[in-house]
Amino acid sequence: MNKYRNLLLALNSLPVGMASSVILCLICIMTLMPPSGVPSVSIPNIDKVAHAMFFGVLATSFIFDTSRYLKNNGPAVYLFCAIASALIGAAIEIAQDAMGLGRSGDWMDLLADIIGAFILPLPFLRIITFLATDYSLKLSEVKKSSRIPAVIHKIYSESFPPDEQRPWDSIKKLIDSDKRFHFEIIRIGDNDCGLLTWWKLNGFSYIEHFAINPAIRSQGIGSLTIRRLISHNRKKNIVLEAEPESMGEMASRRIRFYKRLGFIAHHEFRYIQPPYTPESDPVELTLMTSEPSPDLNHIMSTLHHEVYGIAAKS
């Protein structure tokens, strides 16, 4: 899907309803014109295949436009759009009989319309879900710490081990006083789904904390969030810390997740996250970067000095 990102963004920029309107007009022209205007092809049942394709594409475009309009997708949208496309197919078969243009309705054509409307959209549902979600995903930056919803605090406190948590009061102070620090709430529509905290530092951006509500993970929201951050930090290296793969399957999955988004794990570089508080312990983590050959020593010293507030070692 990353490979076709520009194409997907172009589709997502179309006005809602345009794709369905254009395809419906083309289908009406092709199915209601006199027989003399229809190209003749000597392949058995090619007209049935064409009907299935026409109404499969129509149903897919309906799902695409409806999902973007509702900013949501699901079985109900799929069924509604497939049934609507099949009903349009039935109406066209009736119109072919009634218009007297030398064409007649055919039950087998209608069956092909129905099959196409219900079957053809299925391989595209994941892409449509991606587009519908991407369309509604927002990163809303918190400008005042008093405006952080309680659900976001809960997601933060439950998503990270104690030694990897910056004290909440410290986060609030950074929001109110440090312009390099960004606290963003991940929203889908009106729902607060997670949080992303990151720093704009000298030569790179650094993701400090990133968490999605566990109830809605594995729906592509995390990937969309990181892609959005990458697009906002174009041509700038992005750095993050991840638990080493030796920590278990969850740590391995997390590193694979970032690798799919184009990050490189620098396993050979020994990196220690300094403690956030005197009561916390240092944590050995893996540095990951969006650029293949960064200056890891510069990154480490910058993080230690700017983010964790300790003097860089010579």
Side-chain angles (χ1 to χ4, degrees), residues 101-132:
L101 296 176
R103 306 187 70 166
S104 60
D106 187 328
W107 284 105
M108 294 304 294
D109 285 348
L110 177 57
L111 180 61
D113 299 343
I114 295 171
I115 292 173
F118 279 88
I119 300 300
L120 189 63
L122 294 177
F124 300 98
L125 291 180
R126 182 169 176 264
I127 295 175
I128 293 171
T129 300
F130 172 88
L131 289 170

Side-chain angles (χ1 to χ4, degrees), residues 5 52 67 73 86 125 141 148 154 213 223 231 235 244 249 256 280 301 314:
R5 175 70 175 172
S67 297
N73 192 7
L125 291 180
E141 183 164 0
I148 304 175
K154 184 173 185 291
N213 186 338
S223 299
S231 69
K235 296 182 180 179
E249 177 57 26
R256 290 198 298 270
S280 303
S301 63
S314 59

